[in-house]
Amino acid sequence: MQGALEDKNDMSHEWLEQFRMYDKIYVFCVNLSGMILANHLRLMGMSAEYIDNDIKWGKTLVFGQKCNLPENADSRYPCIIAAKNEKNKIDIHKQLLQIGFKNIHFIDEAYNHDWLDCYAPMMSDELYLRIFWFWRNGNEIDLEHPHTFNEKIQWLKLNDRNPEYVRMTDKYEVKEYVAEKIGEQYVIPTIGIYDTYDEIDFAKLPSQFVMKCTHDSGGIEICKDKSIFDFGRARQHIEKCLSYNYFYYEREYSYKEIKPRIIIEEYMSDCTGSELKDYKIFCFNGEPQIIEVDIDRSTNHRRNLYTTEWELLDLSICYPKAPEIQIEKPDCIKELLDAARKLSEGIPHVRTDFYVIDNRIYFGEMTFYHGGGYEKFTPDEWNRKLGDYITVV
């Protein structure tokens, strides 16, 4: 397995140096943070081994290293507890003391911030993706010969790094790209763009609006009535999102260089007042192949998938399908697919999202790594089928 620490001076290196005197260090908890910490230690030239109570992990080779049960570990050596849940940490600490461990450390003693912010950025993108893949799927990924859609999404994260993708992912800058490609009439009007939350003069905003972070996924607040909107909660959420680089969570390249800002857009609704239909079109080299429509995302999330001829597919991705719900083919389907073709031209894979409001099309976003490349396909053959549309070299 290849990978090296990036050149970064950080206090976490100093904390880990205390373990260099030992021939062996144990890391308890083979979760994502435990895997990253153990590999961080190894990359610093130290010997780190996993221990865990989970029988599954106890029988699994993690990157060629067997994970042992705690009672089989040598209590003469130090052990770092990599759990984040307070109750888990207390229970594990008691268990280690009963086994005979005396040199016990908590991961929080090393890092005052979230583990992701502190030491995941020090790892190479390939190593991190290999660890993250194993944590999500329980097997090692073959990045040299990827076959499925999800495997190839990981390959694209590492190998398809067109700087123009940054512009296409930035929720503010992409509007200019869309206007150039298909016309300004498809762009949802912007009310304002801000570097900080304090710059926003909410008194001047309309009673309804949508507030988003430009650099991430999930940093969004929808205001349907300013008189009852929870501005304190919105501030807490948005400022937390502004504080981190979304790239480091799943190494989705297009997010890395986006400047964190806040964009406020017009609130869009149709004449029915119901949830807006969001048409997510999976495109490969400029050609649409399937269309996703999500249903009741905030209550009972389901997802129907259609051919470009609007035939319901016997397919679910992550969420169950709802064949009993008839979603009518939009009258503007041809225009919708033409817009997707133009936006995705020359790109190995991108999902182009649109809203259709009173038969008018509005651009939503462009997503280069659907579900981060980890969502489950049922039946699984579709994972391979969509993967065949992506060419890797």
Side-chain angles (χ1 to χ4, degrees), residues 3-69:
L5 287 171
E6 297 176 6
D7 184 17
K8 182 173 179 177
N9 183 22
D10 193 279
M11 287 296 291
S12 57
H13 282 287
E14 296 180 16
W15 184 82
L16 292 177
E17 282 293 335
Q18 68 181 295
F19 301 106
R20 195 175 291 282
M21 70 180 72
Y22 299 99
D23 296 329
K24 184 185 299 182
I25 310 110
Y26 290 106
V27 175
F28 194 117
C29 287
V30 191
N31 50 26
L32 179 59
S33 52
M35 289 182 185
I36 292 175
L37 175 59
N39 280 279
H40 187 173
L41 288 162
R42 292 176 199 154
L43 288 171
M44 292 179 69
M46 292 179 264
S47 174
E49 295 185 12
Y50 300 111
I51 54 175
D52 198 271
N53 288 321
D54 193 323
I55 294 176
K56 176 185 69 175
W57 292 118
K59 295 182 177 179
T60 300
L61 288 174
V62 185
F63 300 114
Q65 249 201 13
K66 185 167 178 57
C67 172
N68 287 309
L69 297 172

Side-chain angles (χ1 to χ4, degrees), residues 104-116:
I104 303 171
H105 302 261
F106 292 95
I107 199 170
D108 289 345
E109 293 176 5
Y111 311 105
N112 277 330
H113 306 289
D114 186 85
W115 62 268
L116 183 64

Side-chain angles (χ1 to χ4, degrees), residues 159-326:
N159 296 283
D160 185 28
R161 297 196 159 187
N162 185 339
E164 188 71 2
Y165 294 168
V166 178
R167 179 190 181 204
M168 297 178 191
T169 303
D170 186 309
K171 290 179 175 57
Y172 178 68
E173 301 295 338
V174 70
K175 292 172 181 280
E176 183 179 43
Y177 174 79
V178 171
E180 292 170 359
K181 282 284 190 176
I182 59 177
E184 290 186 5
Q185 68 271 25
Y186 295 98
V187 178
I188 294 175
T190 299
I191 295 173
I193 181 76
Y194 314 88
D195 289 329
T196 68
Y197 194 91
D198 286 332
E199 292 177 17
I200 305 170
D201 186 348
F202 287 99
K204 294 182 179 179
L205 294 182
S207 61
Q208 296 182 317
F209 59 85
V210 176
M211 178 166 46
K212 302 176 183 177
C213 290
T214 59
H215 72 301
D216 73 348
S217 176
I220 181 171
E221 291 288 336
I222 299 174
C223 175
K224 297 182 181 181
D225 183 348
K226 197 165 64 170
S227 67
I228 59 173
F229 185 63
D230 190 339
F231 288 97
R233 185 193 56 78
R235 173 192 282 273
Q236 186 178 31
H237 178 212
I238 293 296
E239 289 188 339
K240 180 179 180 181
C241 291
L242 288 174
S243 69
Y244 69 86
N245 190 325
Y246 189 75
F247 160 79
Y248 286 110
Y249 183 58
E250 292 184 1
R251 300 300 163 105
E252 298 183 2
Y253 161 75
S254 64
Y255 288 100
K256 188 173 186 180
E257 302 299 331
I258 299 176
K259 179 182 177 180
R261 290 180 290 178
I262 303 166
I263 182 174
I264 295 183
E265 299 177 339
E266 287 189 10
Y267 176 81
M268 309 297 287
S269 61
D270 61 20
C271 58
T272 67
S274 59
E275 181 182 51
L276 287 180
K277 291 290 188 301
D278 188 3
Y279 300 88
K280 302 176 183 292
I281 305 174
F282 287 65
C283 301
F284 302 85
N285 286 309
E287 190 56 39
Q289 296 295 340
I290 63 172
I291 304 170
E292 170 190 319
V293 183
D294 290 273
I295 303 159
D296 296 333
R297 279 175 291 191
S298 59
T299 53
N300 180 23
H301 196 164
R302 287 155 294 165
R303 177 177 286 172
N304 282 351
L305 293 122
Y306 299 87
T307 68
T308 55
E309 301 298 322
W310 211 253
E311 298 166 336
L312 181 64
L313 291 167
D314 182 20
L315 165 66
S316 64
I317 304 177
C318 188
Y319 298 98
K321 58 183 178 291
E324 73 282 4
I325 297 179
Q326 294 186 357

Side-chain angles (χ1 to χ4, degrees), residues 354-367:
F354 301 90
Y355 300 103
V356 176
I357 303 172
D358 300 331
N359 211 37
R360 282 195 59 185
I361 298 172
Y362 291 93
F363 170 79
E365 65 179 8
M366 297 179 73
T367 299

